[in-house]
Amino acid sequence: MEVYDLVIIGAGPAGMTAGVFAIRKGLKTVIVSEDIGGQVNMTSDIENYMGFQEIDGQALVEKFEAQVKEYQLTEKLMAVRSLKKEGNLFYIRTQSDETIVGRAVIICSGKKPKTLNVPGEEEFRNKGVSYCSTCDGPLFRGVPVAVVGGGNSAVKAALDLANYATEIHLFALSKLTADAILVERLQREPKIKVYPGHTVVEIKGSQVVERVTVERVASKERFDIPVQGVFIEIGLIPNTDFVDDTVERNELQEIKIDCLCRTNIPGLFAAGDVSSVPEKQIIIAAGEGAKAAIQAWDYLLNLPDSPMKG
């Protein structure tokens, strides 16, 4: 069975950066990922990634991927089902029942959107319910929509949807927690109406979304608002379903790492949003991916049976 020096799980900014650094260190490397780009594909305008005053998420992913391809890095587009360590080797089982073996692993699997868990959410998924304004915003041109959430992602979604929808109803459990510059832009957009202290408790319709039932948190009073789209932006949870309980996690279920991206399992590293590193930003994920690859190289170099010795 083919054994890789390094297996990278995930192909977002952390995973792709780790791949480039690993190849430059001479490691036999493979990236295993369900998709390319991860959450960045769901991001519209990026204004805080050095080297670009402004760039959209998909364009940045294309630049990352072009650099990865330049190094002829092996990529396998498939979801990971399980990860376990036996002896000094890691065994990664994919959804297609392929087993990939590596001496070291970096988990860069990112996060996925949280769900509201309200009636109608699952029924109308892809029938008006969305978790990505960048992906689906153009589908709601000329109709009213709702956005649920009060942080940066929700406010960005509302601003993005103002390019398409006739009106945007933004529901936040409390006051907005987004960056001040985003809130200022929001306040200047006449299409957006903000409902602090409100939440969506049901999504209704026949074949597609037609309205939402909204509850005032303080009084529990409910009322309906007609919308044809509902964008849920209430946060993210780590993609760690394939990781067993031997890998330590924090209260947010993020993989615990030290300042060198090391987990509690020797040879297992984590980088980017799936890890416990504070502040979830593209530029931080990329930097952590580079750091993890360098540390994986150092780990492999010091193995008794290191493939880089001799």
Side-chain angles (χ1 to χ4, degrees), residues 111-132:
K111 291 188 172 183
K112 59 188 174 186
K114 289 182 180 177
T115 59
L116 273 178
N117 292 319
V118 300
E121 180 179 6
E122 188 61 35
E123 177 184 354
F124 294 110
R125 188 187 292 258
N126 298 323
K127 297 178 183 178
V129 172
S130 174
Y131 303 86
C132 178

Side-chain angles (χ1 to χ4, degrees), residues 22-217:
I23 289 293
R24 289 175 62 87
K25 285 290 189 181
L27 300 180
K28 183 180 179 182
T29 305
V30 60
I31 293 181
V32 187
S33 182
E34 192 170 1
D35 61 18
I36 302 294
Q39 295 174 61
V40 184
N41 287 316
M42 302 181 186
T43 306
S44 51
D45 294 335
I46 298 166
E47 300 175 340
N48 58 359
Y49 193 88
M50 295 304 292
F52 301 97
Q53 288 182 309
E54 183 177 345
I55 187 170
D56 70 58
Q58 291 182 355
L60 186 59
V61 167
E62 288 171 4
K63 290 184 178 296
F64 281 163
E65 189 175 14
Q67 192 159 356
V68 167
K69 290 186 181 300
E70 183 178 328
Y71 286 94
Q72 298 182 330
L73 182 61
T74 302
E75 296 175 276
K76 293 181 181 286
L77 286 178
M78 54 186 71
V80 172
R81 189 170 68 190
S82 66
L83 165 68
K84 64 179 179 178
K85 186 178 185 182
E86 294 182 2
N88 288 325
L89 294 176
F90 291 90
Y91 295 84
I92 296 92
R93 192 76 172 170
T94 71
Q95 294 288 8
S96 57
D97 284 332
E98 180 177 349
T99 298
I100 300 166
V101 184
R103 293 184 174 88
V105 173
I106 305 175
I107 300 175
C108 305
S109 50
K111 291 188 172 183
K112 59 188 174 186
K114 289 182 180 177
T115 59
L116 273 178
N117 292 319
V118 300
E121 180 179 6
E122 188 61 35
E123 177 184 354
F124 294 110
R125 188 187 292 258
N126 298 323
K127 297 178 183 178
V129 172
S130 174
Y131 303 86
C132 178
S133 64
T134 305
C135 313
D136 298 332
L139 302 176
F140 296 87
R141 194 180 302 274
V143 300
V145 300
V147 177
V148 185
N152 282 348
S153 60
V155 172
K156 283 184 176 181
L159 290 168
D160 187 28
L161 289 163
N163 294 311
Y164 311 106
T166 54
E167 54 190 60
I168 300 98
H169 302 273
L170 176 59
F171 303 103
L173 272 175
S174 58
K175 66 179 182 179
L176 297 178
T177 58
D179 294 344
I181 190 170
L182 293 173
V183 175
E184 288 174 10
R185 291 179 187 173
L186 191 78
Q187 293 168 341
R188 294 196 299 268
E189 177 49 64
K191 288 184 178 181
I192 301 173
K193 183 176 181 180
V194 181
Y195 300 75
H198 291 71
T199 187
V200 171
V201 294
E202 187 171 358
I203 301 168
K204 299 177 178 178
S206 51
Q207 301 300 313
V208 296
V209 170
E210 296 173 357
R211 61 193 182 280
V212 291
T213 299
V214 181
E215 181 178 276
R216 289 189 178 95
V217 176

